[in-house]
Amino acid sequence: MLGWMGGLVRGLSQRTLLCYGLVFFAFVYAPMVIVFVYSFNSNPVNMMAWQEFTFDWYRSIFGLSNKLTEQALYVESTDQLKAAVKNSLIVACTTTTISTVIGTMTALAMARFRFRFKTFYRVLVFMPMIIPDIVLGLALLIYFVTLGGELGLITIIIGHCTFLGSYVFIVVSARLAGMDQTFEEASADLGANRFVTFRRVTLPLITPGVVGGALLAFIISMDDLVITYFIAGVDSTTLPVFIYGMLRRGIKPEINAIASLMILFSLVVASSGLYFRSRAAR
Amino acid sequence: MNESSLVVIADATKRFAAPEGGVITALDAISFNVNDKEFVTLLGPSGCGKTTLLRAISGFEDLDSGTIVIDNQLMTHVPPHRRPVNTVFQNYALFPHLSVGDNIGYGLDVTGCAKPERNQRVDEVLELVGLVGFERRRPKQLSGGQQQRVALARAIINRPKLLLLDEPLSALDRKLRQAMQLELKNIQHELGIAFVFVTHDQEEALTMSDRIVVLDRGGIQQIGTPTTIYDSPVSIFVAQFVGEGNLFSGTFTRDGDVGTLRTDSGINIVIHDLLPGINNGDKAAVLIRPEDFELLDSPNETKSGAAVLEVRIAQTVFVGTDFQIVGSTTTGETLKATIRDPSRTLASRLGEGDVVRFTYRPHAPRLLPMSENANDPSPDDA
């Protein structure tokens, strides 16, 4: 009797847990699923009313639309979208490279060397992450204008690097903290100088952290809106700024198609990162 | 400088700032030599400075003052990777991302050794440590004993004049440890290089070393061969740390060529080997090793030149050929004795609570000065 009751309670609690899990994931992913589904909805006026299946919005954003309706003209020019994507990729690739190198070097210095005011420097490195984006964006804008620089891709890259280095620093630092320093001592003991030790021992051992930090930096750079909005020039619009511009003139079905493609892209990047990490862990 | 010495350490001193303020002297004017092909053990409790000393030799710690000379070269500003020494680390520090073969070949790879020679030498040391066929494995896929061998192989492939070993056997179980002790000794003999071996295990030190350096609180307590250290410790610390022993403290009186220590409990122990620094009326201690005791058979038997101790037995342990007996004297001291029993007749005579009479070899008692920090010369912890 008691055993039966216990089984019932266990079954009930398991089912409750399952329900909770489902509700949780539904809450997180339902909006994205809806965006994805309605990106195939042919209803041009009311996105929420399903009409029929279509690839029109994808055709439209790629400039392949054959029926030039008023709605299709909404993406004024596919070239603008393409330019925005290209800008975003240029910015993300450049900033990822620069901030990964800077962040990794900073993490190594903090972990391996003893010097004065270390805690102070550590706080300085963290700061850009804590400062609200809007403040950082405004500060950068004022700074660039004061210096008399022209706003463009260069200013966006500099702006992104100021805070992306911090993210890389954190991820690489975590990896370094878990790494036994005697590996480096063993390398030195066997006759390797600092550089050889870094290349043959330290770098291979922290690679998962470096790659993780780089992916994080890439994703953050790709979808940063607030800071980029302040420091982007007229012809250096990135994808998030471009989408934001579209939204200000009303939510149109093409947005769904663009968003779906972005989700897909993020998925590819994230899963390639996970794949790499699981290989490195082996 | 001694020409034949491979390593000359002179006045090595190192201080650390203690986290709670103040200064810890890790090395206090340490001086000693290591000769060619010699096996020297640095022995001491944790925190005695032995690891700091090893790291100073390998170059990972800078000395505050003093010098280290290896192979007639002053090492003061020489970084670790330029020193003619290699180390077997306590946790082995095998590179997890490299195979066993690449771990072992690392020392040759970073110095630009040609591939054919490199591979040949890797094969040689693999054979020497008995790991042929394991070169493609990862360190994780090896047992502790095998990892230990890889660490050893990696450290000797550069053919150093001096190999440093930082408690390399401490992670192994007892049986494996004893096997590795012999094997290390053999490998050292085969290679013909000097070993500096750090351990806190006195048994290990006695088994393996040509000479032992006993360290305590950053200073050298005694340097000598294992037999010297065991038979003639110079201080209460060494007597307690190396081997087991019974210590009696008392007052010394001298009478010509012999002396007598009257213990605080009133036993008179005759001393044949006098110490120059201990005079009439001084407080001193005396050491008698457990195996120096003899069991007296009849109640009236005595032995000339040695005191008789009446002991109530608290515990007896039979270990192969010996009986280890723990008891207390009628005057209250704890006493440990090891009695050989080839005829297997003792067991019936040694019951718990029985009173037996012990004496010792007349020349066994070893006089020791009272040190200022040894206010409790209890024989409990060896």
Side-chain angles (χ1 to χ4, degrees):
Chain A
M1 179 71 182
L2 271 173
W4 177 79
M5 288 276 282
L8 188 74
V9 169
R10 215 172 308 131
L12 210 67
S13 65
Q14 263 173 15
R15 231 162 280 164
T16 316
L17 198 62
L18 183 71
C19 283
Y20 167 75
L22 289 176
V23 168
F24 173 82
F25 282 117
F27 186 77
V28 173
Y29 285 104
M32 280 179 251
V33 173
I34 288 172
V35 164
F36 187 71
V37 169
Y38 281 107
S39 70
F40 299 103
N41 181 6
S42 65
N43 189 334
V45 186
N46 187 354
M47 284 197 329
M48 302 311 286
W50 183 264
Q51 210 165 39
E52 59 182 320
F53 183 87
T54 180
F55 276 121
D56 277 356
W57 314 124
Y58 289 92
R59 281 203 201 95
S60 164
I61 59 175
F62 284 113
L64 302 171
S65 187
N66 36 15
K67 45 169 188 172
L68 219 57
T69 61
E70 197 200 336
Q71 280 75 28
L73 276 172
Y74 165 62
V75 177
E76 296 100 271
S77 140
T78 308
D79 293 343
Q80 272 187 5
L81 176 67
K82 277 184 188 159
V85 170
K86 193 177 145 207
N87 283 341
S88 271
L89 285 175
I90 290 171
V91 169
C93 289
T94 318
T95 53
T96 300
T97 310
I98 297 172
S99 58
T100 301
V101 172
I102 292 177
T104 304
M105 290 200 305
T106 314
L108 275 170
M110 290 285 184
R112 291 292 178 260
F113 298 121
R114 271 182 247 169
F115 47 87
R116 282 153 62 97
F117 309 124
K118 197 164 170 176
T119 315
F120 175 69
Y121 287 125
R122 195 183 296 275
V123 172
L124 277 191
V125 175
F126 277 125
M127 278 295 265
M129 282 174 44
I130 302 159
I131 297 173
D133 279 3
I134 196 151
V135 176
L136 195 60
L138 197 61
L140 283 166
L141 176 65
I142 294 168
Y143 178 70
F144 288 135
V145 169
T146 312
L147 283 183
E150 202 174 309
L151 296 180
L153 284 184
I154 301 290
T155 51
I156 301 176
I157 288 168
I158 295 172
H160 281 196
C161 282
T162 56
F163 63 96
L164 287 180
S166 312
Y167 287 94
V168 178
F169 169 78
I170 285 185
V171 179
V172 176
S173 286
R175 181 78 193 179
L176 273 171
M179 182 188 149
D180 193 342
Q181 212 166 327
T182 48
F183 293 133
E184 286 158 1
E185 289 191 348
S187 170
D189 187 75
L190 292 164
N193 61 29
R194 271 177 196 270
F195 178 71
V196 174
T197 296
F198 173 74
R199 192 167 55 83
R200 285 181 178 256
V201 175
T202 317
L203 191 57
L205 290 178
I206 62 170
T207 295
V210 175
V211 171
L215 284 178
L216 187 65
F218 186 84
I219 295 288
I220 294 173
S221 174
M222 275 300 279
D223 76 13
D224 178 73
L225 170 66
V226 179
I227 294 168
T228 315
Y229 187 75
F230 279 96
I231 55 178
V234 185
D235 47 358
S236 60
T237 307
T238 63
L239 187 58
V241 176
F242 180 77
I243 294 171
Y244 181 63
M246 282 173 73
L247 284 175
R248 285 201 301 181
R249 278 166 285 151
I251 296 175
K252 293 291 159 111
E254 284 93 343
I255 301 270
N256 287 336
I258 295 173
S260 298
L261 288 177
M262 284 180 80
I263 291 169
L264 213 64
F265 177 74
S266 300
L267 267 178
V268 169
V269 172
S271 46
S272 68
L274 282 175
Y275 173 72
F276 190 87
R277 281 190 65 161
S278 71
R279 267 180 59 108
R282 226 175 285 155
Chain B
M1 187 166 63
N2 189 342
E3 273 299 310
S4 75
S5 286
L6 178 67
V7 183
V8 181
I9 298 169
D11 284 322
T13 301
K14 173 82 185 174
R15 294 187 183 85
F16 291 111
E20 64 273 12
V23 170
I24 298 168
T25 304
L27 300 176
D28 189 7
I30 300 270
S31 299
F32 71 94
N33 295 357
V34 179
N35 297 321
D36 256 337
K37 304 180 183 179
E38 196 182 17
F39 196 122
V40 172
T41 297
L42 307 179
L43 175 68
S46 58
C48 72
K50 54 190 193 298
T51 296
T52 309
L53 185 53
L54 199 77
R55 289 173 62 82
I57 298 173
S58 54
F60 294 117
E61 297 284 355
D62 293 326
L63 294 176
D64 293 335
S65 65
T67 56
I68 294 174
V69 173
I70 302 175
D71 208 15
N72 294 319
Q73 275 189 302
L74 185 64
M75 288 291 130
T76 306
H77 295 295
V78 180
H81 67 271
R82 294 234 179 81
R83 297 198 181 197
V85 299
N86 287 121
T87 307
V88 177
F89 290 85
Q90 185 170 12
N91 57 359
Y92 315 140
L94 299 177
F95 305 127
H97 60 294
L98 297 180
S99 68
V100 166
D102 288 343
N103 261 284
I104 295 174
Y106 188 86
L108 298 175
D109 291 339
V110 297
T111 44
C113 182
K115 237 348 185 242
E117 195 201 335
R118 181 252 191 212
N119 290 339
Q120 194 201 329
R121 277 167 73 175
V122 169
D123 288 345
E124 275 170 26
V125 291
L126 274 169
E127 175 131 19
L128 184 69
V129 298
L131 282 178
V132 176
F134 286 85
E135 51 267 46
R136 281 166 183 278
R137 296 226 195 150
R138 289 293 169 115
K140 259 191 213 162
Q141 297 168 307
L142 301 181
S143 71
Q146 289 166 335
Q147 290 182 19
Q148 158 73 60
R149 285 157 195 272
V150 176
L152 179 66
R154 188 179 66 174
I156 59 179
I157 200 156
N158 281 359
R159 296 173 184 160
K161 292 238 163 90
L162 173 68
L163 189 70
L164 307 174
L165 302 103
D166 187 4
E167 308 212 17
L169 308 180
S170 59
L172 306 180
D173 64 61
R174 191 181 165 81
K175 209 157 192 168
L176 201 53
R177 201 159 66 216
Q178 285 169 343
M180 280 305 290
Q181 286 174 5
L182 287 177
E183 206 170 317
L184 271 180
K185 205 55 196 154
N186 287 339
I187 286 174
Q188 190 235 350
H189 194 72
E190 206 160 316
L191 295 171
I193 61 176
F195 276 30
V196 171
F197 187 94
V198 161
T199 186
H200 62 261
D201 183 340
Q202 46 98 15
E203 216 176 300
E204 207 164 273
L206 292 173
T207 316
M208 304 175 75
S209 323
D210 295 323
R211 274 194 305 154
I212 298 174
V213 179
V214 184
L215 293 163
D216 185 39
R217 299 177 205 196
I220 292 181
Q221 287 276 326
Q222 189 171 6
I223 303 180
T225 61
T227 45
T228 312
I229 300 275
Y230 189 81
D231 290 336
S232 315
V234 297
S235 66
I236 290 175
F237 173 81
V238 177
Q240 284 184 329
F241 196 74
V242 180
E244 297 224 32
N246 298 287
L247 281 165
F248 303 93
S249 60
T251 313
F252 179 78
T253 46
R254 186 167 173 164
D255 179 19
D257 285 345
V258 294
T260 305
L261 186 99
R262 185 174 174 81
T263 67
D264 300 338
S265 54
I267 308 165
N268 288 318
I269 298 173
V270 176
I271 314 284
H272 291 269
D273 299 303
L274 301 179
L275 282 177
I278 299 176
N279 301 310
N280 257 342
D282 285 354
K283 294 291 274 181
V286 75
L287 165 78
I288 304 175
R289 297 282 185 199
E291 64 273 18
D292 290 328
F293 282 108
E294 292 166 19
L295 201 57
L296 293 172
D297 293 327
S298 64
N300 301 319
E301 190 182 348
T302 57
K303 191 162 180 170
S304 69
V308 172
L309 302 161
E310 291 203 346
V311 175
R312 184 175 296 276
I313 294 172
Q315 190 189 33
T316 60
V317 180
F318 180 60
V319 282
T321 54
D322 294 342
F323 262 103
Q324 289 178 349
I325 300 162
V326 181
S328 52
T329 63
T330 44
T331 47
E333 287 117 334
T334 306
L335 191 129
K336 283 184 201 164
T338 305
I339 305 292
R340 210 121 261 245
D341 181 29
S343 57
R344 303 279 184 278
T345 54
L346 276 180
S348 59
R349 287 174 52 198
L350 300 172
E352 255 174 55
D354 290 356
V355 176
V356 291
R357 300 172 79 235
F358 278 117
T359 186
Y360 46 82
R361 290 192 304 106
H363 282 267
R366 183 70 42 193
L367 191 62
L368 299 167
M370 296 296 279
S371 55
E372 63 272 25
N373 47 32
N375 40 25
D376 176 28
S378 71
D380 293 341
D381 43 5

